[in-house]
Every structure is written in structure tokens, then in C-alpha cells.
Amino acid sequence: MAAMQTEPAPSATEDVAMPAHHHDMTAGTMRSTVDYPLPPVTLIRDDGTEVSLVDELNDGRPVVLTFIYTTCTTICPMISQTFEELQDKLGGDRDRVHMVSISIDPEQDTPARLRAYAARFDAGPEWQYYTGTVEASIAAQRAFNVYRGDKMNHTAVAFFRSAPGKPWLRIDGLATPAELLDAYHEVVASN
């Protein structure tokens, strides 16, 4: 196991980088365990309801989270397909998990567009999509250290957390549905 890495506290304009444990999952992915403070922002769920990101993620369910945008033709459809397969593999646990996809292109990704995108991937009621203001989207991206300044520079990443107050397991790279399912079971077992 790698030693705990610490980085200086970020300024208000830097991406948040928190202490993390890193180790390889497969040749194409990297895992780390990180404490991410959630920003107090309002997002708009795909049903059009304004919600607090903190309240949505702290509803008591385990969370599986990623960032996407609906006009992406490369990484996002692959991530969403993997989440669709994960949703199926969760079986009976599916209803107890909160799957979250947050748009990094809120100017284009309206709730209606997110609903149509969700339908492409057979998103069940446990898998919700969120948009909001550009500022709220950037704040969420910065909180999870995925903000890259331009949606074209985004990378594949998934986050898992067993319960409010617990650290997040971050998986960078295109993980398989089986790897995500194993990560989910690992996180839930650690609670």
C-alpha cells in the first residue's frame, strides 16, 4: 500500500487535491481513497427539481458518481454504458444505491436532454442525472478534482462512497462493469 500523500491546501481557484492513497486497479485504471468536502451548491435533477448537492449525496444510500455531458461522443457514452451494466449487475442492491451523473456542460444539458440521455442507457429510478448553473457545475467538478477548464479535456472517473462522512473511492480510467461492482462491494463492506 502506498504511503499517504498530502498536498498543500488549494486556493479558491485551484482544483481540490486532498490526501489520498493510490494503487493500481488494472493497467488502465488508478484507485485512490479521498475525503472530498461537498460544495453547498444547488443543482437541477433530471426531473426539473432544484436540489442541494449535499442533501442528494447524503441521503444515507451508498453513492456511485460520475461526470458526463450528453453531446460527448467518446468517453461519456462508454462511462454511461458501464454504469448501465453496473446497474444491472447490482441486482437486488440496485434500489439501495444512489447512482449520480453530473453534467459538465450545463449550458447544453437541460433536464429534458438529461432525461433523454438517461433513457438511452435504461437508467432506473436509482440513477439520477443533474445539471445546474455553470458555476454550480464547476464547483462540483472542483470538489471532486475533475475540473479541467474545458469539457473536451475531461477524463473517465467514477466515485464510490458507502455513507455520508465516509471517504470516497476514486477510480480514474475506464473501469469495466465488473471492476465497478467489485469497488462497490468493497466500499459497502468497509462501512
Side-chain angles (χ1 to χ4, degrees):
M1 167 100 36
M4 176 75 88
Q5 297 179 0
T6 58
E7 299 189 23
S11 73
T13 59
E14 292 180 304
D15 284 347
V16 175
M18 305 301 291
H21 293 287
H22 295 282
H23 57 284
D24 285 323
M25 186 171 185
T26 65
T29 60
M30 173 75 85
R31 294 168 52 132
S32 52
T33 302
V34 187
D35 288 315
Y36 291 116
L38 299 176
V41 297
T42 298
L43 296 178
I44 302 169
R45 204 168 42 215
D46 55 6
D47 64 5
T49 304
E50 286 191 11
V51 296
S52 157
L53 177 62
V54 173
D55 291 347
E56 288 290 289
L57 298 184
N58 288 339
D59 69 358
R61 293 180 286 176
V63 176
V64 180
L65 181 145
T66 195
F67 291 85
I68 55 91
Y69 67 100
T70 62
T71 58
C72 177
T73 59
T74 56
I75 294 171
C76 300
M78 290 189 292
I79 293 169
S80 297
Q81 177 67 41
T82 301
F83 265 51
E84 177 182 8
E85 292 178 39
L86 172 63
Q87 178 183 243
D88 293 340
K89 289 180 177 297
L90 285 168
D93 283 350
R94 178 183 10 229
D95 296 336
R96 294 185 291 272
V97 178
H98 190 184
M99 296 178 67
V100 174
S101 292
I102 299 174
S103 173
I104 64 171
D105 187 12
E107 293 174 311
Q108 300 297 315
D109 289 340
T110 63
R113 182 172 268 176
L114 288 173
R115 281 192 308 277
Y117 186 83
R120 282 179 46 199
F121 296 99
D122 295 321
E126 70 285 344
W127 185 3
Q128 296 169 319
Y129 288 76
Y130 299 83
T131 190
T133 65
V134 170
E135 294 79 15
S137 175
I138 290 173
Q141 292 172 66
R142 286 186 185 279
F144 285 91
N145 196 21
V146 296
Y147 181 68
R148 301 295 176 256
D150 180 343
K151 67 185 179 185
M152 301 306 288
N153 294 329
H154 74 293
T155 58
V157 64
F159 300 88
F160 296 81
R161 189 187 68 187
S162 62
K166 297 290 186 177
W168 291 87
L169 173 62
R170 175 186 178 124
I171 300 176
D172 287 281
L174 290 170
T176 67
E179 289 170 325
L180 294 184
L181 183 64
D182 288 346
Y184 165 77
H185 287 297
E186 175 186 326
V187 166
V188 170
S190 72
N191 191 20

